[in-house]
Structures are given as structure tokens and as C-alpha cells.
Amino acid sequence: MTGFRLDRKAFVLLAGLAVFSVVIFAPLPSGMNEASQRLLAVVLLMAIWWMGEATSISVTALLPLVLFPTLGIMPSSETAPNYTNHLVFLFLGGFMIALAMEKWNFHRRVALRIIAIIGTDVRRIILGFMVASAFLSMWISNTATTMMMLPVAIAVVRQVASEASLRGRRDSDSARLVEDNLGIVLMLALAYSASIGGVGTLIGTPSNIVFAGFYNSLYPDYGEIQFIDWILIAIPVVILFIPIVWVYLCWFVPSIPLRDIDFGASGAKTIRRELRGLGPMTGPERTVAIIFLLTVLLWLFRNPINVAAVNIPGWSSLFGNPAYLHDATVAMAMGIILLLLPVRAGQCSTIGDPDARTILDWPTVQKKVPWGILLLFGGGFALADGFGTTGLDQWIGSHLAGLTALPTVAMIVIICLAITFLTELTSNTATTTMILPIIGAAAVAANYHPLLLMVPATMSASFAFMLPVATPPNAIVYGSGWVSIARMSRAGIWLNFLGAVLVTSAVIALVRNLST
């Protein structure tokens, strides 16, 4: 008879239930009401299951639908609407646009054009890959961006290694050195820039949507975080971080100076060959390009913009109730249009979908949209609603009042580093879902604007560069064969600290100004 063996997932499940039971039946803490205590038990249960990956994060996200009404925290009629928050549909609409871009290869054409414009030598080709990956990750998932760019990057490395010489040498050792060094630099550049670029827009990574939902729910008096609000905060960080990472990777990571690689036109030839393989733009691809540009413009100019003495009116004022219109309205309108626009016979090519009848079809949406992430959003928004309804956020804030003793910069740096290194081992979406309400309560307790601490926590969740498990882009390039865990860790640990410094500086300069 074999003995009972408790595997890791079962242990995490039981540990979460044990903590849940202890908190439920513990004496009521001073100043806390019963509903807050029960919510705290649910929060800890979900945190343990999420962090320990006891089950799918989507399954855990559904717990509030059962536990909130059962424990008397919130009725079902108030819990369920959190799963249809308008930000859920902002992400859904944005993902539908991304699917159309992928279907007709518009994203690949944009990436290759950017690389062709920027790249002329080894280091500039690396920068071209980084700029292209960062830009695409603002609009499509960083996973899809990395997967799409990886074959092109591998082809460039191998082509350069086969034709390049090192300091005038042309032998097997020099070719091996070129391939090894260019391989690791380009692979890390691809992964890191995809993660950094995802920070740039609300739809770039799920963590940003989680932040926006929590902030809007917990602090409605401060106004809603809109698409352009996040861009004004995040794009400067992306613009600064990409060249910093580029310099670091090109000058400090390789064992040989990249400037010593003489590769002629081999890298440029590979890019041109890839572009020729795409052929001329098809009708559907042009349509996707127009829809994409129109979407971005509608997001940016939905509300009035005041720049110095210039006042740019928002297009939403053309309607009777401008407040009824959100960024999600734009995203879903464009997603629906893509599902309805027909494709004329002869417009398709084998690159896209030769049998397509519309620009985007519903079976593709059903198959490729990450529905589990949408449920995760809903579970997170339900928790945020519970924090405000029960007063748990105020109770936590009252016990964090001592944080006022810390200097602002020190507090932000600690948050950045803690979230960054925690995300090395856990899902960044799950991490932000669990930590942001506490971070917001800490900010209020310390008499700070919530943005001052919530923004750096959100950004830092995407800036984990050390381990393959930290982000999907890290895992993808790890599989290339050029990147070992040791080499990724040595390169990434310094970027973790650089990211914390950059985010702290940007938040002090931008968020403090925005929040006054």
C-alpha cells in the first residue's frame, strides 16, 4: 500500500482554506467590523491560491461570486456587475483589434519597417528590434509580440554569424563568438523591450487594466483614469527605459564589443527578405491599419485636452451625454466594425486568411481571446468593491499610518523593488490584483495621493527581468538556446534596480504633478 502523498497544489489549496478558516473564526480585531473580517479571509484565501497557483487564476477569480453573498459581504446583485466592468470590455475590444492586426500581418509589417529604418549596423539593428517590440506591445500582448519577432531575430543572428568576421578574423571561433554574443543580446533585448512596451498603454498588459479598475472603484472622487491619462504617465518611462536597456545590453552584457563585429549587409538583407516575403499590403491589411489609427485617435481625443494656452475639444462633446462614453465604447465599436466589414473576393492572400469573409471573425475571437484574464479582472474588481463597501481599506490604512515617517522617495523605491522581485516568481496580474488595494490604503494613510504609490507598483509588476518564469517574453527567449538562467539573471538583476530608480524618478516628476 502506497502512502498518501500531498503534492504542491493540494498543499496550497489546503493552506489557503486553513488561513481562511483561522481568520473567519478569530476574535474580531479592534476597529474592524465583521464584514471586513470576512472579506480579509477571502482576500487571503485568494492571495494564497493565486500566488501558489493552486488552481487556475480564473477559477480563483470566481470565488467572490460565491463567497461574498454567502458570507454577507455583498449581495450577488452588487458582486456580479464587477465582472462586466467597462474596463473588461476595453481590454476585450483592444484584443479584438490586436487579433485583426495579427490575422493580416499588419503588426509584422510595422515591426520590420521600424527595424529597416533604424538598423544599419549590429547595435542599431538591436535598437530597431527593441523599438518595434516595445511599440507593438503597447497594442498587442507582449507574448504575441515576442513570438512574432523571435523567428526574425533568430534568422538575423544566424545570418550575421555566418557572414560576419571578428576583428578581421573569419574562423569557427569568431563565428561562434559572434553568434553567442549577438544571440544573447538580441534575445534579451526582444524580451525586455516587449515587457517595457506593454507598460505604455492601458491595454498593453493586464496589470494596467487591473490598476485602472481598482483606482476608479476605490477612489471615484479623484476622477477616472482614462487612456490618455495613463499614456502621459507611462510613455515617458518607456521612452527613457528602452535606450537605457539598449545601452546596457550592447555595452555591458556581451563578452566581446559588438562594434568589432563586421557583418556587411547580412542583417539588413535578412530584414529586406522578410519584408519582401510579406508582399504588397492587401485590402484587409489596409483596412486594419486605418481602424487601428482611428482607434488610437479616438482614445486620445475623447475628452478635451488643454495644452498650455491651447484647448483641443473632445469629440465626445458632440453627443448629448459625453460622460456616457468611455474608452471601452471606442474599443468595442471598432471591434464590432472589424467583425462586420466584408472582405471582397481577391483581396485576401495566403499571408492572411484566403477564405475570410470579414476582416475579423467570431470563431477567431472565441478561440484566441484570453477569457480567463477577463474573469480575473472581474474577480479583482469585486475585491476592490468589497474593500470600499466593508471599509477594510480604511482599517488597513489606519494600521499603516506609521508609513508617514518614511521619505516619499524611500517608500516608492521599496514598493518598486518589492513588487519587481515578487513578480519574478508570481504572475504580475495576480500580484497587482492582490497588492494594489493595500498600496492604495497605505498611500491614503500616509497622506499621499493614491496614484503616487499605485502607479509605481503597477509599472514595477512588468519590470521583472531576471528569470524565465517572471514574464512570458522571458520564457520565450529562454527557449532559443542562447539564453541560460544564469546569464538572464546576471543581466536582469541590474535592470530590476534600474527600473526601480527610473520608475521612482518618473513618478516623482509626473504623478505628483498630475495629482495636484
Side-chain angles (χ1 to χ4, degrees):
M1 179 177 176
T2 58
F4 174 74
R5 183 173 178 271
L6 189 66
D7 65 16
R8 185 187 65 82
K9 287 193 173 183
F11 175 79
V12 175
L13 280 170
L14 293 175
L17 292 172
V19 171
F20 172 82
S21 301
V22 168
V23 175
I24 284 287
F25 295 108
L28 193 65
S30 175
M32 178 183 284
N33 58 51
E34 291 185 2
S36 294
Q37 183 182 27
R38 294 166 185 166
L39 176 61
L40 180 60
V42 175
V43 169
L44 293 175
L45 170 64
M46 295 176 69
I48 292 171
W49 283 11
W50 267 332
M51 301 298 184
E53 297 181 339
T55 183
S56 167
I57 59 175
S58 308
V59 173
T60 303
L62 293 171
L63 288 178
L65 288 169
V66 177
L67 296 180
F68 278 19
T70 304
L71 297 174
I73 298 171
M74 285 171 56
S76 294
S77 59
E78 296 179 14
T79 305
N82 287 289
Y83 291 80
T84 55
N85 186 291
H86 69 92
L87 290 170
V88 173
F89 291 96
L90 170 61
F91 187 81
L92 174 59
F95 210 90
M96 291 165 68
I97 296 169
L99 287 177
M101 292 170 64
E102 293 178 40
K103 179 176 180 178
W104 299 105
N105 267 328
F106 175 64
H107 65 319
R108 187 178 180 88
R109 189 181 302 275
V110 170
L112 292 172
R113 284 294 181 193
I114 292 173
I115 297 168
I117 291 171
I118 296 177
T120 56
D121 60 23
V122 170
R123 287 173 294 189
R124 292 183 68 176
I125 281 181
I126 292 170
L127 179 60
F129 270 93
M130 294 185 70
V131 172
S133 299
F135 176 76
L136 289 177
S137 291
M138 295 179 188
W139 314 103
I140 65 178
S141 76
N142 55 18
T143 305
T145 296
T146 309
M147 288 294 294
M148 183 269 296
M149 297 288 286
L150 184 65
V152 183
I154 290 174
V156 167
V157 172
R158 290 177 175 164
Q159 184 72 32
V160 170
S162 67
E163 297 186 17
S165 60
L166 183 61
R167 293 179 180 173
R169 294 164 43 189
R170 188 177 292 276
D171 52 44
S172 58
D173 287 339
S174 66
R176 180 186 57 78
L177 280 172
V178 169
E179 181 173 344
D180 184 56
N181 282 273
L182 181 57
I184 186 172
V185 171
L186 190 50
M187 293 302 107
L188 292 179
L190 190 59
Y192 294 166
S193 56
S195 295
I196 294 168
V199 171
T201 67
L202 276 182
I203 63 170
T205 181
S207 301
N208 298 353
I209 291 286
V210 170
F211 155 75
F214 275 18
Y215 181 79
N216 296 344
S217 176
L218 291 171
Y219 310 105
D221 294 340
Y222 287 108
E224 180 182 330
I225 287 289
Q226 301 171 25
F227 195 87
I228 191 169
D229 295 327
W230 180 260
I231 281 182
L232 292 174
I233 299 171
I235 288 296
V237 174
V238 175
I239 291 173
L240 288 173
F241 207 8
I242 289 295
I244 289 173
V245 173
W246 173 64
V247 170
Y248 172 75
L249 290 177
C250 289
W251 274 265
F252 296 97
V253 170
S255 60
I256 60 172
L258 294 185
R259 66 175 180 271
D260 289 344
I261 299 176
D262 179 15
F263 70 103
S266 57
K269 285 192 295 186
T270 302
I271 300 300
R272 287 196 297 269
R273 184 173 64 247
E274 293 285 338
L275 273 171
R276 285 196 301 270
L278 290 177
M281 286 187 74
T282 62
E285 187 181 355
R286 283 193 293 270
T287 300
V288 170
I290 293 170
I291 292 294
F292 168 72
L293 292 173
L294 182 59
T295 303
V296 174
L297 291 174
L298 290 174
W299 274 334
L300 293 178
F301 297 102
R302 176 168 64 86
N303 287 324
I305 298 175
N306 297 311
V307 181
V310 180
N311 183 7
I312 304 174
W315 59 264
S316 61
S317 61
L318 299 173
F319 295 83
N321 296 288
Y324 287 11
L325 301 168
H326 296 86
D327 292 327
T329 313
V330 175
M332 289 308 303
M334 294 304 170
I336 292 171
I337 288 173
L338 288 170
L339 288 166
L340 296 177
L341 282 176
V343 174
R344 293 198 303 271
Q347 283 190 319
C348 302
S349 70
T350 55
I351 294 176
D353 181 356
D355 300 318
R357 296 181 181 275
T358 54
I359 300 295
L360 183 64
D361 59 277
W362 185 248
T364 298
V365 176
Q366 284 182 305
K367 181 180 179 180
K368 294 190 175 182
V369 166
W371 300 103
I373 294 294
L374 301 185
L375 291 177
L376 176 63
F377 291 157
F381 298 157
L383 286 180
D385 200 6
F387 268 85
T389 300
T390 64
L392 180 59
D393 56 338
Q394 297 178 11
W395 183 85
I396 292 175
S398 67
H399 287 73
L400 296 174
L403 293 173
T404 54
L406 285 175
T408 304
V409 172
M411 182 182 279
I412 296 174
V413 169
I414 290 171
I415 288 173
C416 288
L417 291 176
I419 298 297
T420 295
F421 284 97
L422 180 61
T423 306
E424 291 286 357
L425 300 171
T426 61
S427 160
N428 60 352
T429 308
T431 300
T432 51
T433 302
M434 294 314 308
I435 208 72
L436 283 179
I438 298 173
I439 295 292
V444 173
N447 296 316
Y448 295 134
H449 193 290
L451 287 177
L452 203 60
L453 300 188
M454 294 178 75
V455 167
T458 304
M459 289 185 178
S460 297
S462 295
F463 290 168
F465 304 112
M466 287 179 59
L467 298 175
V469 297
T471 65
N474 286 10
I476 291 168
V477 301
Y478 171 72
S480 68
W482 286 305
V483 183
S484 65
I485 292 178
R487 297 180 80 176
M488 182 179 287
S489 298
R490 286 197 300 269
I493 188 169
W494 298 109
L495 290 181
N496 281 5
F497 286 105
L498 281 171
V501 172
L502 179 61
V503 169
T504 300
S505 303
V507 166
I508 293 296
L510 300 172
V511 176
R512 174 177 284 177
N513 181 60
L514 181 65
S515 63
T516 55

